[in-house]
Amino acid sequence: MPTGKGIAKRMERLDASGIRRVFDLAASLADPISLAIGQPDFDVPEPAKAEAIAAIRRGDNKYTVTQGTAELRAAVAAACAEEFGWEDQRPFLITCGVSGALMLAFLVLVDPGDEVILLDPYFVMYEHLTNLTGGVVVTVDTYPSFDPEPAKIESAITERTRMLVINSPCNPSGRVYSADELKAIAEVAARHELLVVSDEIYDLFCYDQPFASIASFYDNTLLMRGFSKSYAMTGWRMGWCTGPAEIIEKMTMLQQYSFVCAPSMAQAAGVVALKCDMSAQREAYRRKRDMVYEALREPFGLIKPGGAFYAFVPAPEGVTATQFVERAIANNVLIIPGKVFSRRDTHFRVSYATSDEKLARGLEILVRLAR
Ligand code: PLP
């Protein structure tokens, strides 16, 4: 029988009102131009699809070991050895997307009252997971350039700080941190023996400079990457994580009692995906980024985003971003108000992960509204 207790208290700390309002407004549109979507518009590479199908046919349909198949972990380790020069036996955990890795990491690391530093604007899940685990979000404002300023980060650190979360290329700003910027963050973190969680899910989508990871400079990094964006496998739920052995060990234990394992056929396909050349897709998205920048730089004062597939655009003077988004939706273009990712309501997020034709039509309407 029900106890009458209802929903657990921790759920009161979650709030989805910002994004719900957008969906409510959008529900009235018959055929909206959506510049709101956080997933690639290309499909999974053919060899990876074929391998997933073959894996199902040959019976790879059972639980795998919790940490992920030996083949996929070896493939990820080999890719890391090439990128970082790591020769040690690091632990790797295959997760159900980067979301799965984040969920495990927050549960393993954050106690009630612990502070989690986020660079504002930030990917929404970090805020919700902090709240869910009883932590306290401490934001470092990075507007208007979205530069990760080391002095500001350092001044946000207190005795209760548990970790700093960084995300480059960034959702929603599209900002990419240079190697020098990451080194400066690493120096601050090292001075305070601070764990850095580095969400590198958009590592493929880096347009103007080589991608750099803080894991190259700083060992106390919990590094997370995914297959969702690079290989368009959003529905296959695949990611991976590496970092300090003790943390990975606890995350693995918790995965055993929660997700159990990432999908077996997706793990088989992941081995193949890692060998696929995605440079054509990156080039296509670079071109779309250029389209967005060319259209929005002057009427909106957009700073050129260097990566991911988002632009974070200042709303025109005199209106809040929420008001501008409502106006855009009334004109059939779906965008996301920056408030969803931020303490501020000054910007809106445009996703250019869509066809050139839809993107051009959407941009034209946004430019008209700005004028
Ligand atoms: N991290 C960032 C910055 C994201 O934008 C997303 C998805 O939008 C995720 C993590 C979650 O990705 P997944 O769980 O599909 O790997």
Side-chain angles (χ1 to χ4, degrees), residues 226-248:
F227 293 75
S228 285
K229 316 289 175 174
S230 312
Y231 305 105
M233 292 183 182
T234 47
W236 291 14
R237 312 310 308 129
M238 282 269 293
W240 58 264
C241 185
T242 188
E246 188 195 6
I247 298 176
I248 298 295

Side-chain angles (χ1 to χ4, degrees), residues 9 30 38 111 193 208 225 233-234 258 273 291 302 347-348 364:
K9 278 264 180 283
D111 273 325
E193 295 180 20
D208 304 321
R225 291 201 190 159
M233 292 183 182
T234 47
S258 52
M291 277 173 74
L302 170 66
H347 289 55
F348 59 91
E364 202 181 300

Side-chain angles (χ1 to χ4, degrees), residues 38 97-99 102 123 126 167 171 199 201-202 228-229 237:
V98 171
S99 306
L102 286 166
F123 175 52
Y126 312 146
N167 170 221
N171 176 10
D199 177 348
I201 193 165
Y202 295 101
S228 285
K229 316 289 175 174
R237 312 310 308 129

Side-chain angles (χ1 to χ4, degrees), residues 83 168-169 200-206 211 225-226 230 282:
E83 179 178 341
S168 168
E200 300 179 2
I201 193 165
Y202 295 101
D203 64 331
L204 172 75
F205 305 94
C206 198
F211 171 76
R225 291 201 190 159
S230 312
R282 174 178 42 224

Side-chain angles (χ1 to χ4, degrees), residues 122-168:
Y122 45 80
F123 175 52
V124 271
M125 201 178 279
Y126 312 146
E127 180 176 28
H128 296 313
L129 289 176
T130 306
N131 289 335
L132 191 70
T133 49
V136 178
V137 171
V138 174
T139 55
V140 173
D141 186 286
T142 66
Y143 292 84
S145 61
F146 313 121
D147 294 350
E149 286 181 47
K152 277 198 191 168
I153 294 172
E154 187 148 31
S155 66
I157 298 173
T158 73
E159 281 182 357
R160 292 309 311 256
T161 305
R162 183 64 190 91
M163 60 205 199
L164 163 70
V165 184
I166 62 172
N167 170 221
S168 168

